[in-house]
Amino acid sequence: MAMQSGISASEQLLASFQTFVADTTLRGLIVDIQKEALVLQEIIHVAGTFEDDLRQLDGLIQDSHPAYILLRRYEAPTAALVAVAYVPDTANVRQKMLFASTRNTLLRELGTELFAESLFATTKAELTAEGFQKHDHHNAEPAPLTEEERSLVQVREAEAEASRGTSTRASHVVGGVVPFSDEALQALANLKSGTPGGGFVNLVQLAIDRETETIVLANASSSAIGDFTRLIPDDAPRYSFFVFKHVHDGVEVAPIVFIYTCPTETKIKDRMLYATCRNSVVNTVERTVGLKLEKKVEAASATEIGESQLLEELHPKRELNNGFSRPKRPGRR
């Protein structure tokens, strides 16, 4: 909490400020602290544009003495003013502390809602047209991101690149190819040999071992589509390969579906790691292991994936054309 000086606005300043707010021919007021009170020091009249009138300040403020400068900048019924606390570096320490601790009091007693901005300046150069231009440019720039926000942006970029299949981010492994454990490769091979019937294992889940940067087997099991919510965890990302045995157009089929789940509560570093490695995992499974992935699905949770969604993904319904077909020309078959 900022220290308060105990100084308050004089009756003279309050009356002058009311006149200033109502009179658009006035550009600004310069306020000083004298005898433990905020008092009016100078009145600035409108002579041109806001930028033009800033030139008047050079002769009205001192190089080493602080002042509050209240300026009419915007053409607005409310919040048209700017408050500047001018505290030169060359001012003595007592003055610096006094003006810094009284700044909030001034704005509060005059009416904070009347000011669009409250600035702090240490040199006259900051109070020129060029100085205000630099200030405006700085305010227009987006605020710097925190480390967590920067990481989240990287995660989203990695996830977008992975979904487009254009990820160029390499993992720490040379060549960007993530190694698989022997156990993981064997489970995938068993899944392959079990198709189209699915064998005893039709769901293989893979995870990333962060310490070894290796794709490892998390679980291999027999699962019906309705068991996803029980077998695929909701608290950790997974690369899952599911043999979806079903009947389509009277024929039993068993396509392999790749399912990437990453819960929203996953730590940012883990989300980024799994998103970055996704394409490498898919490429290894398809090219090295030889699994044909009929469909690739992504979700925050396995609860979002159901039989109807997989059927729609694998066998999208065709729109029927109910219009009349053009009759054939005579003599043609």
Side-chain angles (χ1 to χ4, degrees), residues 24-284:
T24 56
T25 66
L26 301 180
R27 175 63 67 191
L29 306 178
I30 297 180
V31 178
D32 194 8
I33 297 178
Q34 297 177 7
K35 297 180 180 179
E36 304 300 316
L38 291 159
V39 298
L40 176 66
Q41 182 179 356
E42 296 284 351
I43 296 176
I44 305 171
H45 292 269
V46 172
T49 65
F50 174 77
E51 288 74 16
D52 292 337
D53 290 344
L54 288 175
R55 298 193 188 102
Q56 299 182 49
L57 294 177
D58 185 56
L60 298 176
I61 58 177
Q62 302 175 33
D63 292 329
S64 300
H65 186 76
Y68 298 115
I69 305 167
L70 312 178
L71 297 170
R72 186 189 311 278
R73 185 179 187 188
Y74 302 106
E75 298 295 332
T78 59
L81 310 179
V82 176
V84 181
Y86 169 65
V87 184
D89 290 333
T90 53
N92 64 55
V93 175
R94 184 181 180 280
Q95 286 181 326
K96 289 181 179 179
M97 292 181 63
L98 190 61
F99 274 78
S101 60
T102 311
R103 181 184 181 188
N104 289 339
T105 299
L106 174 67
L107 294 178
R108 186 176 64 252
E109 295 195 4
L110 297 182
T112 307
E113 70 282 358
L114 298 174
F115 295 90
E117 296 176 283
S118 177
L119 316 180
F120 189 87
T122 59
T123 65
K124 286 185 176 182
E126 296 175 74
L127 301 176
T128 62
E130 292 76 13
F132 270 87
Q133 187 176 19
K134 288 180 180 178
H135 165 75
D136 293 342
H137 179 73
H138 176 75
N139 278 357
E141 294 178 347
L145 299 177
T146 64
E147 183 177 354
E148 182 177 358
E149 289 171 333
R150 285 195 300 269
S151 297
L152 188 56
V153 169
Q154 292 175 333
V155 168
R156 288 170 178 166
E157 290 175 351
E159 289 175 338
E161 289 172 356
S163 65
R164 293 193 301 266
T166 58
S167 178
T168 57
R169 299 174 186 268
S171 66
H172 296 294
V173 183
V174 177
V177 178
V178 187
F180 281 56
S181 70
D182 292 340
E183 190 180 23
L185 290 174
Q186 185 60 53
L188 291 168
N190 292 341
L191 192 68
K192 178 185 178 184
S193 63
T195 58
F200 293 101
V201 173
N202 66 344
L203 174 64
V204 171
Q205 298 179 56
L206 305 181
I208 300 177
D209 185 329
R210 291 184 60 90
E211 293 185 3
T212 62
E213 293 186 331
T214 302
I215 301 298
V216 296
L217 178 65
N219 184 268
S221 59
S222 178
S223 170
I225 184 67
D227 293 332
F228 270 20
T229 56
R230 179 175 58 85
L231 296 175
I232 299 179
D234 273 340
D235 58 354
R238 286 291 185 268
Y239 302 124
S240 301
F241 300 85
F242 177 59
V243 180
F244 181 34
K245 184 179 178 181
H246 63 283
V247 176
H248 177 64
D249 288 343
V251 179
E252 183 179 271
V253 292
I256 299 178
V257 181
F258 169 71
I259 302 169
Y260 168 46
T261 52
C262 187
T264 54
E265 298 80 9
T266 303
K267 292 181 180 179
I268 289 178
K269 289 183 179 180
D270 287 337
R271 285 181 62 184
M272 186 169 183
L273 180 62
Y274 274 81
T276 303
C277 294
R278 174 191 178 280
N279 284 345
S280 177
V281 170
V282 169
N283 289 337
T284 298

